[in-house]
Amino acid sequence: MVPQADFESYYGQQIIKTPTWKTPDVPLYLFLGGMAGASAVLAEGAALTGNRTLERTTRLVAASGAGLGTVFLVHDLGRPMRFLNMLRVFKVTSPLSVGSFILAPFASLASAAAASQVTGRLPRLGRLAGVGAAVFGPPLVTYTAALLGNTAVPAWHEAHRELPFVFAGSGACAAGGMAMLLIPAAGNPPARQMAIAGAGVELVATELLKRRLGMLAEPYEQGRSGRLMKTATRITATAAVISTIGRRSRAVSAGCGAAYLVASAMTRFGVFEAGLASARDPKYTVVPQRERLAARRAGTAAGEAHDHASHEQTGLDQVTETAAT
Amino acid sequence: MTHSLHGRLDDVTGDAGYADHPKRKGFFTDTSVCIGCKACEVACKEWNQVPDDGFELTGMSYDNTQALGASTWRHVAFVEKPVHPTTADLGLPGMGPPGFGTHESGLPQAAPAGEDQATASGDGALRWLMSSDVCKHCTHAACLDVCPTGSLFRTEFGTVVVQPDICNGCGYCVPACPYGVIDLRKEDGRAFKCTLCYDRLKEGQTPACAQACPTESIQFGDVDELRQRADARLAELHDRGVDVARLYGRDPEDGVGGDGAFFLLLDEPEVYGLPPDPVVTTRDIGSIWKHVGAAAATLVGIGVVSFAGRRR
Amino acid sequence: MAEAHPVGFQWVMEAKRRGATIIHVDPRFTRTSAVADLHVPIRAGSDIAFLGGLVNHVLSNDLDFREYVVPYTNAAAIIDERFLDTEDLDGFFSGFDTERGHYDPESWQYDGTEAAPAAGQRDPAQDTGPHGSSPDGGDSKDLHESAASESHGSGGPPVEGKPPRDETLQHPRCVYQILKRHFARYTPEMVQEVCGIAPEQFRQVADALTHNSGRERTTAFCYAVGWTHHSVGSQMIRTASILQTLLGNIGRPGGGIMALRGHASIQGSTDIPTLFNILPGYLPMPHAAQHQDLDSYVEGDAGKTGFWGNMRAYAVSLLKSYWGDAATAGNDFCFDYLPRLTGDHSTYNTVKGQIEGRSKGYFLVGENPAVGSANGKMQRLGMANLDWLVVRDLQMIESATFWKDGPEIATGELVTEEIGTEVFFMPAASHVEKAGSFTQTQRMLQWRDKAVEPPGDARSELQFYYELGQRIREKLKDSTDEMDRPLLDLTWDYPTEGPLHEPDGHAVLREINGTGPDGRALSAYTQLEDDGSTSCGCWIYCGVYADEVNQARRRKPHWEQDYVASEWGWVWPANRRILYNRASAAPDGTPWSERKRYMWWDAEQHTWAGSDVVDFIADRPPDHVPDEGATGPDAIGGQDPFIMQTDGKAWLYAPLGVADGPLPTHYEPPESPIHNPLYRQQNNPSRRKLDHPANPINPSYSEVFPYVFTTYRLTEHHTAGAMSRTLPYLTELQPEPFCEVSRRLAEERGLTHGDWVTIVTARTAIEARVLVTDRMRSLRLGDRFVEHVGLPYHWGPNGLTTGDSPNDLVNVTMDPNVYIQDKVGTCDIRPGRRPRGPALTSYVEDYRRRAGVDTADPTNGRTEG
Ligand SMILES: Nc1nc2c(c(=O)[nH]1)N[C@H]1C(S)=C(S)[C@@H](COP(=O)(O)OP(=O)(O)OC[C@H]3O[C@@H](n4cnc5c(=O)[nH]c(N)nc54)[C@H](O)[C@@H]3O)O[C@H]1N2
Ligand SMILES: Nc1nc2c(c(=O)[nH]1)N[C@H]1C(S)=C(S)[C@@H](COP(=O)(O)OP(=O)(O)OC[C@H]3O[C@@H](n4cnc5c(=O)[nH]c(N)nc54)[C@H](O)[C@@H]3O)O[C@H]1N2
Ligand code: SF4
Ligand code: SF4
Ligand code: SF4
Ligand code: SF4
Ligand code: SF4
Ligand SMILES: [Mo]
């Protein structure tokens, strides 16, 4: 535990605004996008390895996940009718803009692939679309970490290094878990493996995140968001262990799959809520900034005026912003 | 168009792609002369036809609008702080303010010059700090950077403005702002904040809030010139022994490249509800994308691993 | 000042920027204190003791500006030997009539001079019956009640001849020595005991003040209703005047005493009065018993020193402006047409008359007494007992709706069906919907043009009254009754303009300015004649239409003229920016200092020079000595800067004209938690009481009502609230009624920040949320603390934000000079909301019983001491 820091505030009022993104819309979108994106990868692997059942299921999961996710995303907008305004511009500085240009093609490609899969029509094009979805899938899973990280919300921004990995792992768990739930044990070893690998990545990344964030890890460990995170971690770990051991049983497999799914969703809710919690309490804004200032002043005093030393300098000094229309 | 993401930037307007443009406009808000009359809040609402923000007695001194938001584009904070904490038993001998000296003019000095907004009072002393807050019109504006629709844009005056006809209410600007300025209006769904009276500026007029301010606490003008004025005022206050005075948001080297609307404060920023060391989130965008990329690659790796040895 | 006059306060901030020291004396730490150098918390109602302490400090340390004081003030004047001070009589001056409750000022006079009260001051020969017995009789109490002291608004009351003087200031009966004795007990220790101000802090103020006065520097005082709203309000301001005069801060740039006025043209509404006892230009309203004709009316003033000596010219010109050609020398210029005073027709007494059924009709034009006036219940009881009530307002105010939603309806004290008052609501045009002038604090008239036409049926006051007059005259046009002549003979024809046919405001202003025999606008009041050849609606405004130009509409920016800015608006009298500015120069006519140079004698040009219009006879040299027996302006000596005073001197001691004594004396407010530490006399003996069962007074030093409350304004709201509580942008800034208390008081009574509390007086109980704040100070008086409950008074039952009205708590006790109510009182405060319905009445009744309040004889509590 980090000792309670002394700090001043304006009547305990928060400094930054709480994100207006709605629950459950946005965490669900994070979860569904993650599941869909990773499913597309799974689907392409299945196609490559000739696992028809897996391919068919994961293509459907990818498509419906993307579709449903899009609905939640659009529903979250204050002016849903103006959803398409997001495609007016492309901005690298706006993960939401970038995300739109990932989600839109992904959703189209995944749907095309799924449609072809279901109808049996245009199989070549369908396959091509599947490849496309697999290309956009991984970025769809991880860009949402940029979406959160690229804000002033302390628990998100400071976690921007680990969050993409948490989400990658969590997406893999969800995709694998979904496939395990839907497909008889015999057909799902790759799904199980993806889930187990994903669980590993997620657990490690989460642990690193908490260790590095110091005081800002509190929202991930305490309160509602902390409970969500903890439970998610426990379930994921348990599911990983059981699915590693009990690979033959259909029921065990399906159970593990469901557990992965629940845990993945909980992780997203947990991360989301941790951000909100860190926005609401001024100490998470003030104390780290004070420490940063103090460190900088100390640094300056020591003659090593290395401004922003603790921050990585981006290679992307110049970013292109293009009007799409 | 290209624009830089952090660090010093002397021509923010040019950087945003305007070849020929007026000088950057902004505010210097000198809180040491603010009398908390809230004329600025009301003038802003009247001019911009911003709806009221709800009727709630907050108990936060005389501040009942609480913070900047979609329907409060100017906000006057009221901070009550005892200078010498009042002892529980006021029966103790009073702690009188310091005695008199002689003014350098040779004339006897009337009374100890109190710190601005810090007044010796009775057997203690109290500070009632008032400060009118507003959108900072950051040199590197996170709200603008993250806006996926281009609704937020940089004007020819170097200010940051929302175009209500484009905003789709995605809400991204809201958590992006390191100062907690911009917000969505619930009933409307779109984001709103100070426009630095873009419409008035285009007509060569002063923003409504600055025009209404009776004490010139809010000074409007060219940012270059305002910075000089702020430096001079700071020096003057320091000369008078008001050591607590400091400038906030004036430094073009700070985390947001300096604010277009900056302040003279008499206490730590967080006392007024301002972040002590704000940084534009997009300063880290490179790192963010790098990690997102690496994680995506990891996911691909997971995919590969999952199918390892299962060739058709 | 920052709270209620934020725009004017910019100049205080400007002065501060240039090095001025700002001192704020207020029970509460306000937005003004926040930017002041020093805040001096003071017990409400104790300012005379504080200011008196400063006077004592100046006198006992010889810190007065002697070169100014001796020639320019009446410090050297010798007073009648019959005069006895409050020091001699333990709180009374000589001449108090215990039965009638007022003073006879005869013994206060200058030695050897005759007390010759002016119009409205003279004690009439026919002193019939006891007080109040005859509403139209010539009772001296009634006469006294006509608030005659206010009738000297722009000049002092006349005293016959010039007093003997001892310029060494040693004579035991000279004003200086009397003053010294009078204030000797107002020591720093006494100040602490009365006001709760520590000696050390008192010292700071005293030093700041005295160091900042003299030849090189001047100090200004600003005050508003923190001083006026007391049963000793006029005397609080008198104390400040004495102090400023002793320090030489009057008539000089950067000096003076600035009354920060209230409503936008409240100064205008005393110049062209809405008051019952004066006519335009502070001419007294004639009294029924005394003023049968013009000669007797002007007698007391005509032939005196200074410009009041020409009162007849002002009165005749006024009558000519009212009745035009009908006013002739033969008919005394229609002097008979003027209404006459018969007694106290001030607002609170009128309300009492309503309750008692003597007053049947009421016009409320731009005021909301149900919320804004002290003791709201009396106001509502009065209005509920009328035949008709006309309300002209921008909003549907509480005074127009009290019959259905007033607090007495809730308690059952009034029943809607039983109220017979017929209420006429007339929507009024606001200030932006009509043209006209405002006269502000500095006596400056500023014209404003109409911005938009009024909406719907809303009309300006000018149009309303003009039309009302026309309709009444139309109805009376065939009348032969003598009583109707004044109406029928009135000059009542103004050009109209615009789509709504509004009377032209310029024409009205021009009429006020006055015209000469050639029909052209006059340019100065010195042109007014008493032979009927000139007409002028208000002599002090003469010149506002000079050269047929609306001088009030001048808007030359300050950067295009010198700092006196004499081409912005127009200031009465004579566009003079600083009154008594002859005093800005030393007796010999040279500036006191280069730094404070303002007006000076230019011997070469044989005239007074400077940027302002000199408040003197322009070519009268400093060494002029008037001829023996000279009268009017001729009697003004070269070293008599206070030309409106009959002796040309500033009055440290007022031999006449102040109802409650020639010198200010500290009395406790009518409701006070302590015994008067200075005299056995607890309260101002000549305060005006309003005896009525609905106006019970909390007994002094009662355990039941242990706390002081004071009422005040918030920047965010306006007075009775109709102009702010109805607007969302102002409502959100202060959305609920609240009170403010110190931490200590909160602890004592168990009050929690933000919660509801109930505040109780003998009148009623109200509820509000409570702010517990360090800004409220616990004041130490001797060995005890006095706590204040601060109450912004803007709330009532209508509007976007509603709540109990603090004025329902306030008692009516008035200053005897101007009949203003007191804004402070004592109370109890308890956690929780107040009882509803009839339970409220019994709750308060219980308090009254415990405190021993006698509603049958309400003001006879333990108040006299
Ligand atoms: N925003 C706003 N401005 C206004 C008005 C308004 O309602 N709202 N009203 C206008 C009108 S009509 C008027 S008359 C003026 C009045 O202007 P002010 O006189 O400034 O108004 P108040 O707030 O009533 O009283 C001033 C201060 O007197 C203090 N006070 C109370 N009792 C005492 C006392 O015994 N001694 C001393 N020294 N101080 C005391 C109060 O704490 C308060 O801070 O303001 C005008 N301006
Ligand atoms: N306890 C306590 N009581 C006080 C005071 C205090 O300090 N303490 N202060 C006292 C003072 S100084 C004052 S001045 C009074 C004020 O008390 P009021 O005069 O009774 O109150 P206001 O709300 O100012 O009333 C003015 C009304 O005029 C209306 N109005 C505005 N413009 C126009 C117009 O052009 N034409 C017409 N016809 N109507 C118009 C407004 O809507 C408003 O309802 O309160 C007094 N009462
Ligand atoms: S203060 Fe916030 S809302 Fe204003 S420009 Fe900067 S980032 Fe945008
Ligand atoms: S809410 Fe509107 S202004 Fe804000 S980022 Fe989204 S589109 Fe841009
Ligand atoms: S500049 Fe205009 S929009 Fe911004 S706070 Fe001031 S008045 Fe409001
Ligand atoms: S900034 Fe100016 S207008 Fe706003 S509250 Fe302060 S003094 Fe009043
Ligand atoms: S309301 Fe009008 S008169 Fe009052 S302070 Fe504001 S500008 Fe001045
Ligand atoms: Mo007033």
Side-chain angles (χ1 to χ4, degrees), chain C residues 408-454:
Chain C
E408 290 73 28
I409 305 290
T411 57
E413 290 160 283
L414 285 175
V415 179
T416 300
E417 291 70 26
E418 291 167 9
I419 296 173
T421 311
E422 188 174 1
V423 182
F424 301 90
F425 183 83
M426 324 282 281
S430 79
H431 58 287
V432 296
E433 295 157 0
K434 60 195 177 198
S437 70
F438 279 126
T439 309
Q440 42 81 302
T441 268
Q442 206 193 334
R443 312 177 318 280
M444 182 187 288
L445 283 84
Q446 295 177 100
W447 191 266
R448 49 161 73 233
D449 300 313
K450 182 199 289 188
V452 287
E453 292 295 338

Side-chain angles (χ1 to χ4, degrees), chain B residues 27 43-44 48 73-74 134 194-197 207-209:
Chain B
F27 289 127
C44 174
N48 295 296
W73 300 354
R74 264 275 172 198
V134 70
C194 162
T195 68
L196 216 133
C197 283
C209 54

Side-chain angles (χ1 to χ4, degrees), chain A residues 188-257:
Chain A
N188 69 19
R192 195 184 63 230
Q193 252 159 278
M194 177 174 256
I196 294 169
V201 170
E202 181 189 335
L203 294 176
V204 170
T206 307
E207 190 50 34
L208 283 176
L209 180 153
K210 289 189 197 166
R211 281 201 196 159
R212 203 177 52 80
L213 255 49
M215 171 205 200
L216 280 175
E218 277 174 26
Y220 292 102
E221 291 167 334
Q222 299 172 4
R224 210 177 107 82
S225 47
R227 283 196 299 279
L228 280 166
M229 289 302 285
K230 241 176 244 158
T231 317
T233 306
R234 277 195 203 123
I235 299 176
T236 306
T238 314
V241 172
I242 295 176
S243 53
T244 311
I245 307 159
R247 20 180 96 184
R248 308 251 169 245
S249 157
R250 167 80 176 94
V252 171
S253 175
C256 284

Side-chain angles (χ1 to χ4, degrees), chain C residues 481-516:
Chain C
D481 191 337
E482 271 299 297
M483 191 175 128
D484 297 329
R485 289 314 316 162
L487 276 166
L488 292 169
D489 286 346
L490 268 185
T491 59
W492 203 252
D493 39 4
Y494 299 97
T496 58
E497 57 178 9
L500 299 174
H501 307 289
E502 264 191 85
D504 180 1
H506 293 85
V508 178
L509 189 66
R510 188 173 178 277
E511 183 182 39
I512 290 169
N513 175 83
T515 49

